Amino acid sequence: MGAGGRMSVPPSQRKSESDSLKRVPYSKPPFSISQIKKVIPPHCFQRSVLHSFSYVVYDIVLASLFYYVATNYIHQLPQTLSFVAWTIYWALQGCVLTGVWVIAHECGHHAFSDYKWLDDTVGLVLHSSLLVPYFSWKYSHRRHHSNTGSLERDEVFVPKQKNALKWWAKYLNNPPGRFIAITIQLTLGWPLYLAFNVAGRPYERFACHYDPYGPIYNDRKRLQIYVSDAGVLAVTYVLYRLVLAKGLAWVVCVYGVPLLVVNAFLVMITYLQHTHPSLPHYDSSEWEWLRGALTTVDRDYGILNKVFHNINDTHVAHHLFSTMPHYHAMEATKAIKPILGEYYRFDGTPVYKAIWREAKECLYVEPDEGEQGVYWYRNKI
């Protein structure tokens, strides 16, 4: 603490922030995926039905407890305190339901158990309860994992090149515009992606996660897309009946606002995992699977790391071994750091600072002058 009470940033913290922004190597890694797998304890790849279900039960118990307290006691509070209590409920319930979303995501990767039918059943129920078309997103997300870091084939948050920016981009490249863009992204980004493929890979025709005959899916998957739609429609009908029985305000307060929190966290987590000034993207002349899989970054959400089942701080390991259950991912991450070396990226910047920084610094990608095939984020429009 210096004169006037001002506190300087410790040199170690400044160095850490600077290190996290240093470009990762983009040459072909001096290790293979099999070599990475060998340094991970074998038990990390073992999936346990009981262990996986314990997290489902834990999250559902917590969500039920918050629901019980909210619906039985908040209405007894004075109006001012009632608003505060609802705000706390929305935040807590939204965080817990994000954990539920993560478990369903794990089912889609066949990381929940050794039984695909069980994974799909659990995933369908959990994702449908959050209005997510389970199989539809499972298949598009699988393509994301198969093509991470590819400018031509990745599925979501594919950065644009400068000549592809929309005309309005320059008007949003300022603090007010950035705030508007982030707000729209966090509130509407997820439903817009599912319904209209906003921020998704361009297809030759209209792409929608609810369309069994859309370009995202082939003939073998169409029946499962219908099943996904049926799951979402079933939950929508339950919500409609609840509106008739309890009223729209009750459904919005108990379910609607927490769902908005889930959607916001989902978009933020995904965006920050794949958007970072130190990460490259590749065109078809340079892309290969391992290099692409390493174009992701682990983040620190504090106490929410555990609430979100470590999806945010073990994402590098997840992209390398997506069938690994989340409860082994921390151990695996520690094991792979030495072999990955500079190819591993962790950024401990608080997420509220990180999302603002990335929205400012990562507007489009271009290769360095005289280079081809490897693209880096830029911000000068």
Side-chain angles (χ1 to χ4, degrees):
M1 188 75 73
R6 296 184 65 183
M7 182 178 295
S8 62
V9 179
S12 60
Q13 183 176 333
R14 288 198 299 267
K15 184 177 185 298
S16 176
E17 292 174 358
S18 175
D19 288 347
S20 70
L21 296 177
K22 180 183 176 181
R23 286 183 174 182
V24 301
Y26 59 89
S27 57
K28 185 175 181 178
F31 46 77
S32 65
I33 189 66
S34 61
Q35 290 172 321
I36 301 173
K37 187 174 183 179
K38 286 179 181 178
V39 305
I40 300 174
H43 71 265
C44 289
F45 297 97
Q46 296 174 1
R47 298 163 291 202
S48 165
V49 173
L50 290 178
H51 201 167
S52 295
F53 262 115
S54 70
Y55 288 95
V56 177
V57 172
Y58 179 79
D59 284 350
I60 291 177
V61 168
L62 270 184
S64 300
L65 177 63
F66 293 147
Y67 165 80
Y68 177 81
V69 171
T71 56
N72 284 278
Y73 296 104
I74 291 182
H75 69 275
Q76 299 179 16
L77 298 173
Q79 186 173 3
T80 303
L81 290 178
S82 175
F83 177 76
V84 173
W86 275 117
T87 303
I88 294 173
Y89 165 78
W90 295 332
L92 294 176
Q93 192 72 298
C95 289
V96 171
L97 293 181
T98 301
V100 173
W101 196 102
V102 171
I103 293 174
H105 153 266
E106 189 150 286
C107 291
H109 280 293
H110 190 32
F112 186 83
S113 75
D114 292 334
Y115 310 99
K116 286 189 176 182
W117 66 267
L118 180 61
D119 288 20
D120 285 340
T121 301
V122 174
L124 178 64
V125 171
L126 296 182
H127 258 171
S128 295
S129 69
L130 297 172
L131 298 182
V132 178
Y134 170 72
F135 288 108
S136 309
W137 185 79
K138 168 185 171 179
Y139 291 125
S140 68
H141 187 63
R142 181 177 294 177
R143 291 171 70 167
H144 158 63
H145 272 258
S146 298
N147 299 283
T148 307
S150 167
L151 288 176
E152 290 98 349
R153 299 188 304 276
D154 202 350
E155 279 292 326
V156 67
F157 284 123
V158 183
K160 296 181 182 298
Q161 298 183 47
K162 188 175 183 179
N163 59 11
L165 290 176
K166 301 296 185 182
W167 62 267
W168 61 75
K170 61 182 179 180
Y171 299 108
L172 296 178
N173 191 25
N174 52 67
R178 207 168 294 126
F179 177 80
I180 292 171
I182 291 173
T183 301
I184 293 174
Q185 184 181 33
L186 295 183
T187 55
L188 300 177
W190 177 238
L192 287 176
Y193 170 64
L194 291 179
F196 303 106
N197 198 40
V198 172
R201 164 189 170 181
Y203 284 91
E204 66 278 6
R205 60 187 179 88
F206 177 70
C208 170
H209 279 75
Y210 303 102
D211 179 10
Y213 294 92
I216 303 176
Y217 313 109
N218 58 36
D219 291 339
R220 292 180 300 170
K221 297 181 174 68
R222 304 209 193 283
L223 178 60
Q224 291 172 302
I225 310 308
Y226 278 115
V227 173
S228 298
D229 292 348
V232 172
L233 288 174
V235 174
T236 303
Y237 178 73
V238 171
L239 293 173
Y240 167 72
R241 299 298 299 182
L242 283 173
V243 169
L244 296 181
K246 299 283 191 176
L248 179 61
W250 187 92
V251 173
V252 169
C253 286
V254 171
Y255 177 83
V257 179
L259 185 64
L260 289 177
V261 174
V262 173
N263 293 349
F265 271 127
L266 166 61
V267 172
M268 178 169 30
I269 290 169
T270 308
Y271 175 73
L272 290 179
Q273 286 166 342
H274 296 283
T275 308
H276 194 273
S278 72
L279 298 179
H281 282 75
Y282 304 98
D283 66 18
S284 57
S285 68
E286 289 286 340
W287 183 88
E288 57 183 24
W289 182 85
L290 182 55
R291 293 169 77 184
L294 292 170
T295 60
T296 184
V297 57
D298 286 348
R299 304 274 190 174
D300 184 9
Y301 283 59
I303 192 174
L304 293 180
N305 290 339
K306 292 300 180 185
V307 179
F308 296 163
H309 305 304
N310 297 107
I311 192 176
N312 37 274
D313 56 343
T314 63
H315 198 67
V316 175
H318 171 66
H319 261 269
L320 294 171
F321 307 101
S322 59
T323 59
M324 179 190 297
H326 72 269
Y327 41 82
H328 293 317
M330 285 298 294
E331 183 178 359
T333 295
K334 292 177 182 177
I336 66 176
K337 283 182 183 179
I339 188 173
L340 295 185
E342 290 296 316
Y343 286 86
Y344 173 80
R345 178 62 72 234
F346 172 85
D347 191 342
T349 304
V351 291
Y352 67 91
K353 290 184 179 180
I355 194 170
W356 185 263
R357 182 191 67 198
E358 267 55 300
K360 178 182 179 182
E361 302 293 335
C362 304
L363 299 184
Y364 61 92
V365 292
E366 278 191 342
D368 288 339
E369 188 174 353
E371 299 287 338
Q372 290 185 345
V374 182
Y375 293 70
W376 301 94
Y377 281 109
R378 318 281 184 182
N379 69 345
K380 290 182 173 56
I381 298 181

PDB file of all heavy atoms in Angstrom, residues 262-288:
ATOM      1  N   VAL A 262     -28.459 -19.905 -17.062  1.00  0.00           N
ATOM      2  CA  VAL A 262     -27.796 -21.076 -17.653  1.00  0.00           C
ATOM      3  C   VAL A 262     -27.304 -20.749 -19.060  1.00  0.00           C
ATOM      4  O   VAL A 262     -26.141 -21.014 -19.411  1.00  0.00           O
ATOM      5  CB  VAL A 262     -28.744 -22.285 -17.695  1.00  0.00           C
ATOM      6  CG1 VAL A 262     -28.105 -23.445 -18.466  1.00  0.00           C
ATOM      7  CG2 VAL A 262     -29.115 -22.729 -16.296  1.00  0.00           C
ATOM      8  N   ASN A 263     -28.183 -20.167 -19.870  1.00  0.00           N
ATOM      9  CA  ASN A 263     -27.821 -19.849 -21.248  1.00  0.00           C
ATOM     10  C   ASN A 263     -26.649 -18.871 -21.314  1.00  0.00           C
ATOM     11  O   ASN A 263     -25.764 -18.989 -22.156  1.00  0.00           O
ATOM     12  CB  ASN A 263     -29.026 -19.288 -21.986  1.00  0.00           C
ATOM     13  CG  ASN A 263     -30.122 -20.314 -22.178  1.00  0.00           C
ATOM     14  OD1 ASN A 263     -29.923 -21.510 -21.941  1.00  0.00           O
ATOM     15  ND2 ASN A 263     -31.297 -19.872 -22.586  1.00  0.00           N
ATOM     16  N   ALA A 264     -26.665 -17.885 -20.405  1.00  0.00           N
ATOM     17  CA  ALA A 264     -25.587 -16.892 -20.382  1.00  0.00           C
ATOM     18  C   ALA A 264     -24.260 -17.546 -20.012  1.00  0.00           C
ATOM     19  O   ALA A 264     -23.228 -17.288 -20.653  1.00  0.00           O
ATOM     20  CB  ALA A 264     -25.928 -15.778 -19.401  1.00  0.00           C
ATOM     21  N   PHE A 265     -24.275 -18.398 -18.990  1.00  0.00           N
ATOM     22  CA  PHE A 265     -23.043 -19.076 -18.594  1.00  0.00           C
ATOM     23  C   PHE A 265     -22.550 -19.993 -19.704  1.00  0.00           C
ATOM     24  O   PHE A 265     -21.340 -20.076 -19.966  1.00  0.00           O
ATOM     25  CB  PHE A 265     -23.258 -19.878 -17.311  1.00  0.00           C
ATOM     26  CG  PHE A 265     -22.998 -19.102 -16.058  1.00  0.00           C
ATOM     27  CD1 PHE A 265     -23.953 -19.030 -15.057  1.00  0.00           C
ATOM     28  CD2 PHE A 265     -21.795 -18.436 -15.869  1.00  0.00           C
ATOM     29  CE1 PHE A 265     -23.716 -18.303 -13.903  1.00  0.00           C
ATOM     30  CE2 PHE A 265     -21.551 -17.722 -14.704  1.00  0.00           C
ATOM     31  CZ  PHE A 265     -22.515 -17.651 -13.723  1.00  0.00           C
ATOM     32  N   LEU A 266     -23.462 -20.693 -20.356  1.00  0.00           N
ATOM     33  CA  LEU A 266     -23.076 -21.602 -21.433  1.00  0.00           C
ATOM     34  C   LEU A 266     -22.343 -20.854 -22.536  1.00  0.00           C
ATOM     35  O   LEU A 266     -21.280 -21.279 -23.004  1.00  0.00           O
ATOM     36  CB  LEU A 266     -24.319 -22.294 -21.988  1.00  0.00           C
ATOM     37  CG  LEU A 266     -24.164 -23.031 -23.317  1.00  0.00           C
ATOM     38  CD1 LEU A 266     -23.149 -24.150 -23.183  1.00  0.00           C
ATOM     39  CD2 LEU A 266     -25.502 -23.554 -23.791  1.00  0.00           C
ATOM     40  N   VAL A 267     -22.902 -19.725 -22.958  1.00  0.00           N
ATOM     41  CA  VAL A 267     -22.275 -18.944 -24.020  1.00  0.00           C
ATOM     42  C   VAL A 267     -20.932 -18.379 -23.552  1.00  0.00           C
ATOM     43  O   VAL A 267     -19.938 -18.430 -24.280  1.00  0.00           O
ATOM     44  CB  VAL A 267     -23.216 -17.808 -24.472  1.00  0.00           C
ATOM     45  CG1 VAL A 267     -22.496 -16.870 -25.439  1.00  0.00           C
ATOM     46  CG2 VAL A 267     -24.462 -18.381 -25.132  1.00  0.00           C
ATOM     47  N   MET A 268     -20.902 -17.847 -22.332  1.00  0.00           N
ATOM     48  CA  MET A 268     -19.660 -17.275 -21.817  1.00  0.00           C
ATOM     49  C   MET A 268     -18.566 -18.320 -21.690  1.00  0.00           C
ATOM     50  O   MET A 268     -17.419 -18.085 -22.083  1.00  0.00           O
ATOM     51  CB  MET A 268     -19.903 -16.611 -20.456  1.00  0.00           C
ATOM     52  CG  MET A 268     -18.628 -16.046 -19.857  1.00  0.00           C
ATOM     53  SD  MET A 268     -18.817 -14.978 -18.411  1.00  0.00           S
ATOM     54  CE  MET A 268     -20.256 -15.580 -17.631  1.00  0.00           C
ATOM     55  N   ILE A 269     -18.917 -19.484 -21.149  1.00  0.00           N
ATOM     56  CA  ILE A 269     -17.926 -20.544 -20.994  1.00  0.00           C
ATOM     57  C   ILE A 269     -17.362 -20.964 -22.346  1.00  0.00           C
ATOM     58  O   ILE A 269     -16.145 -21.048 -22.542  1.00  0.00           O
ATOM     59  CB  ILE A 269     -18.546 -21.758 -20.272  1.00  0.00           C
ATOM     60  CG1 ILE A 269     -18.825 -21.421 -18.799  1.00  0.00           C
ATOM     61  CG2 ILE A 269     -17.632 -22.974 -20.361  1.00  0.00           C
ATOM     62  CD1 ILE A 269     -19.673 -22.456 -18.083  1.00  0.00           C
ATOM     63  N   THR A 270     -18.242 -21.202 -23.307  1.00  0.00           N
ATOM     64  CA  THR A 270     -17.796 -21.653 -24.626  1.00  0.00           C
ATOM     65  C   THR A 270     -16.969 -20.583 -25.332  1.00  0.00           C
ATOM     66  O   THR A 270     -15.919 -20.867 -25.928  1.00  0.00           O
ATOM     67  CB  THR A 270     -19.004 -22.038 -25.500  1.00  0.00           C
ATOM     68  OG1 THR A 270     -19.827 -22.967 -24.792  1.00  0.00           O
ATOM     69  CG2 THR A 270     -18.551 -22.662 -26.804  1.00  0.00           C
ATOM     70  N   TYR A 271     -17.434 -19.350 -25.258  1.00  0.00           N
ATOM     71  CA  TYR A 271     -16.731 -18.236 -25.898  1.00  0.00           C
ATOM     72  C   TYR A 271     -15.326 -18.085 -25.333  1.00  0.00           C
ATOM     73  O   TYR A 271     -14.340 -17.981 -26.079  1.00  0.00           O
ATOM     74  CB  TYR A 271     -17.539 -16.956 -25.692  1.00  0.00           C
ATOM     75  CG  TYR A 271     -16.861 -15.698 -26.193  1.00  0.00           C
ATOM     76  CD1 TYR A 271     -16.753 -15.423 -27.555  1.00  0.00           C
ATOM     77  CD2 TYR A 271     -16.327 -14.775 -25.298  1.00  0.00           C
ATOM     78  CE1 TYR A 271     -16.134 -14.265 -28.007  1.00  0.00           C
ATOM     79  CE2 TYR A 271     -15.703 -13.619 -25.739  1.00  0.00           C
ATOM     80  CZ  TYR A 271     -15.618 -13.367 -27.093  1.00  0.00           C
ATOM     81  OH  TYR A 271     -14.998 -12.219 -27.536  1.00  0.00           O
ATOM     82  N   LEU A 272     -15.209 -18.110 -24.003  1.00  0.00           N
ATOM     83  CA  LEU A 272     -13.909 -17.889 -23.375  1.00  0.00           C
ATOM     84  C   LEU A 272     -12.978 -19.094 -23.515  1.00  0.00           C
ATOM     85  O   LEU A 272     -11.758 -18.955 -23.411  1.00  0.00           O
ATOM     86  CB  LEU A 272     -14.090 -17.532 -21.897  1.00  0.00           C
ATOM     87  CG  LEU A 272     -14.695 -16.157 -21.626  1.00  0.00           C
ATOM     88  CD1 LEU A 272     -14.856 -15.924 -20.124  1.00  0.00           C
ATOM     89  CD2 LEU A 272     -13.857 -15.042 -22.248  1.00  0.00           C
ATOM     90  N   GLN A 273     -13.536 -20.276 -23.738  1.00  0.00           N
ATOM     91  CA  GLN A 273     -12.689 -21.447 -23.964  1.00  0.00           C
ATOM     92  C   GLN A 273     -11.989 -21.406 -25.312  1.00  0.00           C
ATOM     93  O   GLN A 273     -10.904 -21.974 -25.483  1.00  0.00           O
ATOM     94  CB  GLN A 273     -13.529 -22.725 -23.874  1.00  0.00           C
ATOM     95  CG  GLN A 273     -13.918 -23.103 -22.458  1.00  0.00           C
ATOM     96  CD  GLN A 273     -15.004 -24.163 -22.437  1.00  0.00           C
ATOM     97  OE1 GLN A 273     -15.700 -24.384 -23.442  1.00  0.00           O
ATOM     98  NE2 GLN A 273     -15.175 -24.822 -21.310  1.00  0.00           N
ATOM     99  N   HIS A 274     -12.602 -20.731 -26.281  1.00  0.00           N
ATOM    100  CA  HIS A 274     -12.090 -20.780 -27.643  1.00  0.00           C
ATOM    101  C   HIS A 274     -11.711 -19.427 -28.215  1.00  0.00           C
ATOM    102  O   HIS A 274     -11.344 -19.342 -29.394  1.00  0.00           O
ATOM    103  CB  HIS A 274     -13.128 -21.455 -28.548  1.00  0.00           C
ATOM    104  CG  HIS A 274     -13.387 -22.883 -28.193  1.00  0.00           C
ATOM    105  ND1 HIS A 274     -12.515 -23.887 -28.523  1.00  0.00           N
ATOM    106  CD2 HIS A 274     -14.400 -23.474 -27.502  1.00  0.00           C
ATOM    107  CE1 HIS A 274     -12.982 -25.043 -28.061  1.00  0.00           C
ATOM    108  NE2 HIS A 274     -14.119 -24.819 -27.432  1.00  0.00           N
ATOM    109  N   THR A 275     -11.799 -18.391 -27.416  1.00  0.00           N
ATOM    110  CA  THR A 275     -11.445 -17.048 -27.874  1.00  0.00           C
ATOM    111  C   THR A 275     -10.397 -16.477 -26.937  1.00  0.00           C
ATOM    112  O   THR A 275     -10.673 -16.224 -25.761  1.00  0.00           O
ATOM    113  CB  THR A 275     -12.685 -16.131 -27.896  1.00  0.00           C
ATOM    114  OG1 THR A 275     -13.736 -16.755 -28.631  1.00  0.00           O
ATOM    115  CG2 THR A 275     -12.344 -14.791 -28.525  1.00  0.00           C
ATOM    116  N   HIS A 276      -9.186 -16.267 -27.456  1.00  0.00           N
ATOM    117  CA  HIS A 276      -8.090 -15.787 -26.625  1.00  0.00           C
ATOM    118  C   HIS A 276      -7.004 -15.230 -27.543  1.00  0.00           C
ATOM    119  O   HIS A 276      -6.713 -15.821 -28.593  1.00  0.00           O
ATOM    120  CB  HIS A 276      -7.529 -16.936 -25.773  1.00  0.00           C
ATOM    121  CG  HIS A 276      -6.641 -16.480 -24.667  1.00  0.00           C
ATOM    122  ND1 HIS A 276      -5.283 -16.276 -24.827  1.00  0.00           N
ATOM    123  CD2 HIS A 276      -6.903 -16.165 -23.367  1.00  0.00           C
ATOM    124  CE1 HIS A 276      -4.751 -15.878 -23.687  1.00  0.00           C
ATOM    125  NE2 HIS A 276      -5.713 -15.802 -22.784  1.00  0.00           N
ATOM    126  N   PRO A 277      -6.393 -14.102 -27.171  1.00  0.00           N
ATOM    127  CA  PRO A 277      -5.381 -13.490 -28.052  1.00  0.00           C
ATOM    128  C   PRO A 277      -4.186 -14.392 -28.344  1.00  0.00           C
ATOM    129  O   PRO A 277      -3.502 -14.191 -29.355  1.00  0.00           O
ATOM    130  CB  PRO A 277      -4.934 -12.254 -27.261  1.00  0.00           C
ATOM    131  CG  PRO A 277      -6.085 -11.924 -26.362  1.00  0.00           C
ATOM    132  CD  PRO A 277      -6.686 -13.248 -25.998  1.00  0.00           C
ATOM    133  N   SER A 278      -3.941 -15.391 -27.500  1.00  0.00           N
ATOM    134  CA  SER A 278      -2.759 -16.240 -27.693  1.00  0.00           C
ATOM    135  C   SER A 278      -3.016 -17.437 -28.592  1.00  0.00           C
ATOM    136  O   SER A 278      -2.072 -18.161 -28.937  1.00  0.00           O
ATOM    137  CB  SER A 278      -2.264 -16.750 -26.335  1.00  0.00           C
ATOM    138  OG  SER A 278      -3.144 -17.736 -25.805  1.00  0.00           O
ATOM    139  N   LEU A 279      -4.269 -17.666 -28.976  1.00  0.00           N
ATOM    140  CA  LEU A 279      -4.610 -18.893 -29.690  1.00  0.00           C
ATOM    141  C   LEU A 279      -4.700 -18.667 -31.199  1.00  0.00           C
ATOM    142  O   LEU A 279      -5.330 -17.709 -31.651  1.00  0.00           O
ATOM    143  CB  LEU A 279      -5.953 -19.442 -29.187  1.00  0.00           C
ATOM    144  CG  LEU A 279      -6.016 -19.843 -27.719  1.00  0.00           C
ATOM    145  CD1 LEU A 279      -7.416 -20.342 -27.380  1.00  0.00           C
ATOM    146  CD2 LEU A 279      -4.972 -20.913 -27.395  1.00  0.00           C
ATOM    147  N   PRO A 280      -4.129 -19.562 -31.991  1.00  0.00           N
ATOM    148  CA  PRO A 280      -4.250 -19.463 -33.450  1.00  0.00           C
ATOM    149  C   PRO A 280      -5.486 -20.196 -33.966  1.00  0.00           C
ATOM    150  O   PRO A 280      -6.128 -20.972 -33.257  1.00  0.00           O
ATOM    151  CB  PRO A 280      -2.989 -20.167 -33.939  1.00  0.00           C
ATOM    152  CG  PRO A 280      -2.779 -21.250 -32.911  1.00  0.00           C
ATOM    153  CD  PRO A 280      -3.241 -20.667 -31.590  1.00  0.00           C
ATOM    154  N   HIS A 281      -5.811 -19.914 -35.207  1.00  0.00           N
ATOM    155  CA  HIS A 281      -6.748 -20.728 -35.986  1.00  0.00           C
ATOM    156  C   HIS A 281      -6.048 -21.085 -37.290  1.00  0.00           C
ATOM    157  O   HIS A 281      -5.090 -20.411 -37.694  1.00  0.00           O
ATOM    158  CB  HIS A 281      -8.051 -19.962 -36.251  1.00  0.00           C
ATOM    159  CG  HIS A 281      -8.967 -19.934 -35.076  1.00  0.00           C
ATOM    160  ND1 HIS A 281      -8.729 -19.135 -33.980  1.00  0.00           N
ATOM    161  CD2 HIS A 281     -10.122 -20.604 -34.814  1.00  0.00           C
ATOM    162  CE1 HIS A 281      -9.700 -19.313 -33.084  1.00  0.00           C
ATOM    163  NE2 HIS A 281     -10.546 -20.199 -33.569  1.00  0.00           N
ATOM    164  N   TYR A 282      -6.535 -22.116 -37.948  1.00  0.00           N
ATOM    165  CA  TYR A 282      -5.840 -22.636 -39.123  1.00  0.00           C
ATOM    166  C   TYR A 282      -6.811 -22.783 -40.295  1.00  0.00           C
ATOM    167  O   TYR A 282      -7.990 -23.136 -40.109  1.00  0.00           O
ATOM    168  CB  TYR A 282      -5.237 -24.009 -38.825  1.00  0.00           C
ATOM    169  CG  TYR A 282      -4.312 -24.036 -37.631  1.00  0.00           C
ATOM    170  CD1 TYR A 282      -4.764 -24.461 -36.383  1.00  0.00           C
ATOM    171  CD2 TYR A 282      -2.981 -23.642 -37.746  1.00  0.00           C
ATOM    172  CE1 TYR A 282      -3.920 -24.503 -35.282  1.00  0.00           C
ATOM    173  CE2 TYR A 282      -2.121 -23.667 -36.651  1.00  0.00           C
ATOM    174  CZ  TYR A 282      -2.598 -24.103 -35.423  1.00  0.00           C
ATOM    175  OH  TYR A 282      -1.764 -24.130 -34.331  1.00  0.00           O
ATOM    176  N   ASP A 283      -6.293 -22.538 -41.490  1.00  0.00           N
ATOM    177  CA  ASP A 283      -7.079 -22.908 -42.661  1.00  0.00           C
ATOM    178  C   ASP A 283      -6.676 -24.328 -43.072  1.00  0.00           C
ATOM    179  O   ASP A 283      -5.867 -24.980 -42.415  1.00  0.00           O
ATOM    180  CB  ASP A 283      -6.909 -21.886 -43.798  1.00  0.00           C
ATOM    181  CG  ASP A 283      -5.493 -21.845 -44.391  1.00  0.00           C
ATOM    182  OD1 ASP A 283      -4.718 -22.802 -44.183  1.00  0.00           O
ATOM    183  OD2 ASP A 283      -5.166 -20.855 -45.058  1.00  0.00           O
ATOM    184  N   SER A 284      -7.249 -24.813 -44.156  1.00  0.00           N
ATOM    185  CA  SER A 284      -7.079 -26.221 -44.529  1.00  0.00           C
ATOM    186  C   SER A 284      -5.638 -26.568 -44.877  1.00  0.00           C
ATOM    187  O   SER A 284      -5.253 -27.743 -44.829  1.00  0.00           O
ATOM    188  CB  SER A 284      -7.999 -26.563 -45.715  1.00  0.00           C
ATOM    189  OG  SER A 284      -7.740 -25.702 -46.811  1.00  0.00           O
ATOM    190  N   SER A 285      -4.837 -25.569 -45.199  1.00  0.00           N
ATOM    191  CA  SER A 285      -3.455 -25.862 -45.567  1.00  0.00           C
ATOM    192  C   SER A 285      -2.589 -26.196 -44.350  1.00  0.00           C
ATOM    193  O   SER A 285      -1.523 -26.802 -44.497  1.00  0.00           O
ATOM    194  CB  SER A 285      -2.834 -24.667 -46.308  1.00  0.00           C
ATOM    195  OG  SER A 285      -2.681 -23.549 -45.439  1.00  0.00           O
ATOM    196  N   GLU A 286      -3.022 -25.804 -43.150  1.00  0.00           N
ATOM    197  CA  GLU A 286      -2.217 -26.007 -41.945  1.00  0.00           C
ATOM    198  C   GLU A 286      -2.925 -26.840 -40.874  1.00  0.00           C
ATOM    199  O   GLU A 286      -2.267 -27.405 -40.001  1.00  0.00           O
ATOM    200  CB  GLU A 286      -1.830 -24.647 -41.338  1.00  0.00           C
ATOM    201  CG  GLU A 286      -0.819 -23.859 -42.132  1.00  0.00           C
ATOM    202  CD  GLU A 286       0.582 -24.432 -42.004  1.00  0.00           C
ATOM    203  OE1 GLU A 286       0.851 -25.172 -41.048  1.00  0.00           O
ATOM    204  OE2 GLU A 286       1.424 -24.129 -42.886  1.00  0.00           O
ATOM    205  N   TRP A 287      -4.245 -26.916 -40.948  1.00  0.00           N
ATOM    206  CA  TRP A 287      -4.984 -27.555 -39.845  1.00  0.00           C
ATOM    207  C   TRP A 287      -4.744 -29.062 -39.808  1.00  0.00           C
ATOM    208  O   TRP A 287      -4.694 -29.742 -40.827  1.00  0.00           O
ATOM    209  CB  TRP A 287      -6.489 -27.301 -39.997  1.00  0.00           C
ATOM    210  CG  TRP A 287      -7.290 -27.862 -38.851  1.00  0.00           C
ATOM    211  CD1 TRP A 287      -7.595 -27.243 -37.684  1.00  0.00           C
ATOM    212  CD2 TRP A 287      -7.879 -29.164 -38.782  1.00  0.00           C
ATOM    213  NE1 TRP A 287      -8.339 -28.061 -36.870  1.00  0.00           N
ATOM    214  CE2 TRP A 287      -8.526 -29.264 -37.511  1.00  0.00           C
ATOM    215  CE3 TRP A 287      -7.918 -30.271 -39.640  1.00  0.00           C
ATOM    216  CZ2 TRP A 287      -9.204 -30.408 -37.100  1.00  0.00           C
ATOM    217  CZ3 TRP A 287      -8.597 -31.412 -39.222  1.00  0.00           C
ATOM    218  CH2 TRP A 287      -9.230 -31.474 -37.971  1.00  0.00           C
ATOM    219  N   GLU A 288      -4.577 -29.559 -38.607  1.00  0.00           N
ATOM    220  CA  GLU A 288      -4.626 -30.989 -38.334  1.00  0.00           C
ATOM    221  C   GLU A 288      -5.241 -31.152 -36.947  1.00  0.00           C
ATOM    222  O   GLU A 288      -5.244 -30.215 -36.139  1.00  0.00           O
ATOM    223  CB  GLU A 288      -3.239 -31.632 -38.411  1.00  0.00           C
ATOM    224  CG  GLU A 288      -2.210 -31.024 -37.488  1.00  0.00           C
ATOM    225  CD  GLU A 288      -0.838 -31.660 -37.675  1.00  0.00           C
ATOM    226  OE1 GLU A 288      -0.570 -32.199 -38.764  1.00  0.00           O
ATOM    227  OE2 GLU A 288      -0.055 -31.613 -36.715  1.00  0.00           O
TER     228      GLU A 288
END
